[in-house]
Structures are given as structure tokens and as C-alpha cells.
Amino acid sequence: MREDKTMDIAGKVAFITGAGSGIGRASACAFARAGASVMIVDMNESGLMETAGLIEEIGGAVATMTVDVTDGSSVAAAVAATVERFGRLDCAHNNAGVGGTPAELAESDEASARQVMDVNFWGVFHGMRAQIAVMLRQGGGTIVNTASAAGLVGLPSLSVYSASKHAVVGLTKTAALEYATRGIRINSVCPGVIETPMSTPLFEVPGLHAAMAAVHPIGRFGLPTEIADAVLWLSSSASSFVVGASIAIDGGSTAQ
Ligand code: NAI
């Protein structure tokens, strides 16, 4: 007989990075709407406060921490503060990221490239390391990392961004294998272009807006809520057999 599985998020404790804007904000609000208590983390304090206000309007329990995810000890402190405040950590969404400056590889600036790796790769690494330690003690949990469609295929003019997201996909798969039998499910979402403040500057590069729209067979860009829906599903027992997956949510762009 088929087991009845639901989006059993109510009563859980979720930790979301990059929650001061875009996809992270949509994810935090979705967790709150589903009945989770949420710790929201970002380096942009005003964005964070705006998200906290939205969650309070929803009626959810929320705590905030201003954290730079490139700093491992600050990320560990935020994870510890989550447990202190809400008693446990069930669901983590490592989502903070930066796009970097679009340029072909030979014209890429090293400092900017290192910053992209620092946030997009090391930020996820720091998050997972602290979260897994807590989840092992608890006996389980779920982690969803925000990679990108550019973590599955190359993206001209954003080579280091693409490399950082391929790294997130690799980290997700390997950690998922390491912890699969210990109750921790780890997956990533790979969005196509989503309408958030991050994608806006890309559209100012001549020709890039039209080129990006053209590679989405659905004929439009995505919405932050369309990523949040998948994050929630991956964080609930409705996805209980999904382990180490990197799910393209990209209007068909990587299906071509
Ligand atoms: P966004 O710019 O709207 O939000 C990113 C958030 O991350 C911001 O609030 C920012 O303050 C925060 N952040 C950046 N660096 C940080 C740091 N060092 N420490 C703490 N917080 C930091 O961007 P969006 O679109 O919501 O991006 C979220 C994730 O989705 C990123 O990982 C991005 O790479 C990924 N993504 C976005 C796509 C898009 O088209 N918007 C497409 C594919 C992936």
C-alpha cells in the first residue's frame, strides 16, 4: 500500500541563508507559511529585516542574524543560535550567492573570481559543515543548496560563477552519499534565470537579456516562489527517496 506523504513542514525549524532578498526571501516565507519556525541569515541587514516583517505578517516565528557566509565561524554561530532559539534544526537552505561580474575568462578579474567562489562555494561548505554536525546529533534533517542551471552546463561570460555552482552540485552529491544512511537528505536546486535583484544587472549587458530569454523554452524567466516550492518539497518527507539530486528548475533550458 502506498504511504500517504505530505509536505510535513509544520513545527519544523528551518535555517535559510541569503534570506534578505530574492529566492531566499521566498523560501523563508514559504517555510513560515507551511508552519516552520525560521532563522533567516544574510549580510544585508535591511533586507533581512524586510523579510522578517513579511514573516511576522504571515504569523510565523522568526529570528534573524546578520552573517557573512564566507566566514565559517559566523555561520557556525548562526547555526548554534538557531538551536539555542528554537531547540533544533530540521531543514537548511544554503542559498546566499553572488553573480560576479560578467566577463570572458581571459578578461576576468582574480579578486572578483575569488569572491564568487568564497560566497557561492565556501558559503555552502561552511553552512553544511555546521548543519550536518547538528543533524547527526539529532538523528536527521534535510539540506537544500541553491546551485544553478549554470551548475549543470556552462554559461559564457560567467565561467567562475558556473564553476562555483558546479562545485555546489559536487558537494551536494558527495555529502548526500556520505550521510544518506544517517537520516540526512541533501539535494540542490538548479534555477534558470529567476527574476530577482541578482539577475537584473545581467540584463544591462548588451545582448545578454535576449540571449538568456531565448534559452528558456517556456518563454519567460522564473519567479522566486517557483524555486521556493521545490525547496519546500525537498525539505519535506514527500521527497523521501530523493538523495543527492540536482534538480533543474529552469523553464527547460538545460533540457535542450
Ligand atoms: P539576490 O541577490 O536577490 O539574493 C542573494 C542574497 O544573498 C542577498 O540578500 C545578499 O545580501 C545575500 N548574500 C550575498 N553574499 C552574501 C554573503 N557573503 N553572506 C551572506 N549573505 C550574502 O539573488 P537571488 O537571485 O535570490 O540568488 C539566490 C541564489 O540563487 C544565489 O545562490 C544565486 O546564485 C542563485 N541563482 C539565482 C539565479 C537568478 O537568476 N536569480 C539563477 C540561478 C541561481
Side-chain angles (χ1 to χ4, degrees), residues 134-230:
V134 172
M135 289 173 181
L136 283 174
R137 285 199 296 274
Q138 281 177 188
T142 58
I143 299 178
V144 180
N145 299 318
T146 301
S148 171
L152 303 173
V153 297
L155 184 58
S157 292
L158 284 171
S159 57
V160 178
Y161 179 79
S162 178
S164 73
K165 295 301 190 177
H166 276 76
V168 170
V169 168
L171 201 64
T172 301
K173 285 181 181 172
T174 305
L177 299 179
E178 289 170 350
Y179 297 103
T181 58
R182 284 178 275 176
I184 306 176
R185 281 190 310 111
I186 307 174
N187 294 287
S188 70
V189 287
C190 296
V193 177
I194 307 300
E195 291 180 15
T196 72
M198 175 184 285
S199 51
T200 311
L202 291 178
F203 304 153
E204 286 154 15
V205 177
L208 204 53
H209 186 286
M212 284 191 156
V215 299
H216 290 71
I218 200 169
R220 64 173 175 86
F221 299 134
L223 300 172
T225 49
E226 292 177 299
I227 306 305
D229 287 344

Side-chain angles (χ1 to χ4, degrees), residues 95-134:
N95 165 80
V98 290
T101 312
E104 288 186 352
L105 186 56
E107 276 77 49
S108 292
D109 167 67
E110 183 178 337
S112 152
R114 287 189 183 276
Q115 171 67 4
V116 169
M117 290 304 291
D118 263 0
V119 180
N120 294 3
F121 170 71
W122 287 104
V124 172
F125 173 87
H126 294 319
M128 288 176 78
R129 203 163 57 151
Q131 294 146 8
I132 288 168
V134 172

Side-chain angles (χ1 to χ4, degrees), residues 55-70:
I55 292 171
E56 277 157 7
E57 277 171 30
I58 292 164
V62 60
T64 63
M65 258 181 100
T66 309
V67 169
D68 181 342
V69 298
T70 66

